[in-house]
Amino acid sequence: MKMQKILVLDDENTLGSHHIGQLNKLPGFQKKFAAKAVTPQDFKTILDTLENRRAQARKAEPTAFKDSCLLDDAAILIVDYDLLSLKSTGVMTGENVAYLARCFSRCGFILGINQFGVNPFDLTLKGHPESFADLNIGSEQLDNPGLWAEPWKGFRPWAWPLIPQALDSFERRVVELRKCMDQHILACLGIPDVVAKLLPRSATEFITKGSTPAETTFQDFVLHSGNGLLGRLDRTSEECNVRIAAARIAKWLERFVLTGQDILVDAPHLAVRYPSLLKGSKSNTSSFDRTASFDKPAELGIHHEKISSALFPKPNWLSRPAWFWPTLSSLSTIDEVRDPWKTKQPELAFCEDISRFKPKAKCHEFVADIPSPFARRHVAKVSNVDYRPEVRFSL
Amino acid sequence: MHKELNLFRQLVVILFERHRKAYDDPPANVRAILEQISNKYTRFADSAALENVLPTDDHRSSDFKEVMQFLYLRPIQSGTPTIPVVSLKADFTRSLPQVRIRLALFLLNDKGEIRSQGYRYETPEGPGYGRHDYYHVQPIRVLYRDRPGFQLPTPAWFLDSHPAWPVDAQGPVCLLLSLLISLYGLDFRNELLAYPMASMLKGHIGRTHCLTLPPASFWKVECGREEFHYATHHDRQAFENFCASTHLPRHRKTSITAAEYVALPERSQLIC
């Protein structure tokens, strides 16, 4: 298997090396990935190249950029938000670098570090969709084993993807999108018209400034939404357009469509609503825990065949299996749908911060800042993690 | 532009906007009900979704059943705590628009089990010759017959075809107003009149009978050392005759304001 390159962009070489040292200690990590800290000189070269590409594309959009850039063959880019010590970068932040990397290079998964704290948990569950990083975490979370492989113990937010899987899915989306940039996003993703009607305003506003989200193509999104290429003047290569759409629309799906759990619902949230779908004992926490996985539906410990007609059909576009909630709620194959008033609600709650179930009495309830009837969620509250904004606990 | 359709649509959207806040941080008794119904009756949580399933000038018919989401109206806390859940079906393509508003009232019994009463508020079902060809409300036991699990937790013997009470309405907007007044009482008129489309709603309110009682007059009547306070729809002469026969041998009456009357203890608020 070919080793995949990880580049770490940090303003302090020592920090970059520290991160790499921590990552290399993860079991099996060095068999898959070769992580390298970028030197300040290389960093400057990378930025110069990306800025040159940006300027060049404004004049004429190339099919592909012909010059070489260290980022082009990076499977994963890890970029620190605070780049103050790199005087040569001017006022550049990690977010600016993420934008340039996504729009003007062929790099894979972008991991933003420390933009929202060194060990945060986002109680809004909004997940910073505006950021061009594919995932934003704190530096203390970078070597969390659960970010890189299953299984995990302790703190491991459910909103995180499994990075190696996310990287693989991203490249598959790129291949798929090369043929369908002019297709309508919602139709191409297999979102039925009826479900599309339920998208919250914040979700449709992300993909289009117009009033016809169902008619928005991937190309329209990249060029005109303000959440692909920024500003009026930015243009990029055909290949980068595809990569922007592949990254940003997947983030849109995860953050705007899946998070609410009222349009799409994933297995652990589904297990709480319809415990009859569990294969294992309903009184056993491990039966519920098995649903919190990034594996295929058949491996989640649920009677997936009963709900296959509601399955979201594009597995490469989401980090975990999910089902259309409006379809599920009409399926007579589900006991709780047929007879809702006999449903016995489990005494367990799904903890969004550890991706595991716990007795409700041991959980802390919070209200996520999302337009969903299922905004009331739970966390286990792990020590040393910065749960913010705290006001979400008191609602 | 279909005026009735557009006012109906605006009224539903503003109801959603005003009433959804009640579910942001509901009291414990409301949460106890919510926990048992939320999975079955998914609540609209975003106005864009609601607007997409309401009729428009271009698409004049719609049905919430299509998206399996429901409009939650503000919980009722007087008496038994109750959550009103609404599903709408509308067809404004007809010359006499057809609107069917299904209302499920969810509550808990004394064992904490979910129970419900359901009603259907409807415009006339036909041109005027059928049994239910008038604006009416009737009890229901099932919200959707063609979808699984929408039997309400209602006793099986609960009647569901009669009585079909006539409703004080002449169109879809008044039908919805009737539903709101039946849930929240006459005070809800003040909420309606605070909505941005109040000027248009006034015309509809003016056509109802339940919201347009003739104005009463208010009086203080002194007889001997006692005082009596009356609200009356009698004209001045009829009220004088009433006083002459009731407050003997002599009385003196003075006009008072409605506010003065309402400020009195309830036992002193006499009506004749």
Side-chain angles (χ1 to χ4, degrees), chain A residues 270-315:
Chain A
L270 185 57
V272 177
R273 294 179 211 170
Y274 297 155
S276 73
L277 289 175
L278 283 182
K279 280 183 174 168
S281 163
K282 278 76 177 163
S283 55
N284 195 338
T285 310
S286 62
S287 304
F288 283 89
D289 281 344
R290 200 174 153 199
T291 63
S293 162
F294 299 91
D295 219 327
K296 295 187 177 80
E299 306 301 322
L300 301 177
I302 57 172
H303 294 288
H304 67 99
E305 66 288 349
K306 286 187 178 181
I307 53 173
S308 56
S309 61
L311 183 66
F312 178 70
K314 296 277 188 173

Side-chain angles (χ1 to χ4, degrees), chain B residues 88-107:
Chain B
L88 281 175
K89 183 181 180 185
D91 181 358
F92 282 82
T93 59
R94 289 185 173 194
S95 53
L96 190 63
Q98 189 177 41
V99 170
R100 182 171 287 194
I101 311 174
R102 296 176 178 93
L103 168 72
L105 298 169
F106 289 104
L107 53 125

Side-chain angles (χ1 to χ4, degrees), chain A residues 194-202 204 262-263 272-274 325-326 329-332 336-341 343 345 360 365 367 370-374 376 394-395, chain B residues 17 20 23-26 31 35-53 65-69 106 114 147-153:
Chain A
V194 162
V195 176
K197 284 183 177 179
L198 295 174
L199 292 172
R201 205 179 302 283
S202 53
T204 53
D262 60 337
I263 296 171
V272 177
R273 294 179 211 170
Y274 297 155
W325 175 245
S329 56
S330 288
L331 279 184
S332 57
E336 291 85 352
V337 170
R338 279 198 316 274
D339 196 349
W341 313 122
T343 304
Q345 291 293 322
K360 265 186 195 165
E365 194 178 67
V367 179
I370 48 176
S372 165
F374 302 107
R376 207 165 277 276
S394 58
L395 294 174
Chain B
E17 293 288 0
R20 75 165 159 184
Y23 294 96
D24 287 349
D25 188 16
R31 282 187 62 181
E35 279 171 14
Q36 298 198 48
I37 65 172
S38 298
N39 290 345
K40 186 67 189 174
Y41 294 87
T42 305
R43 177 167 56 91
F44 280 110
D46 188 272
S47 60
L50 177 68
E51 287 170 29
N52 282 338
V53 290
K65 185 169 64 175
E66 187 191 357
V67 294
M68 298 297 283
Q69 293 210 354
F106 289 104
I114 196 77
R147 300 285 166 106
F150 280 100
Q151 301 88 346
L152 294 170

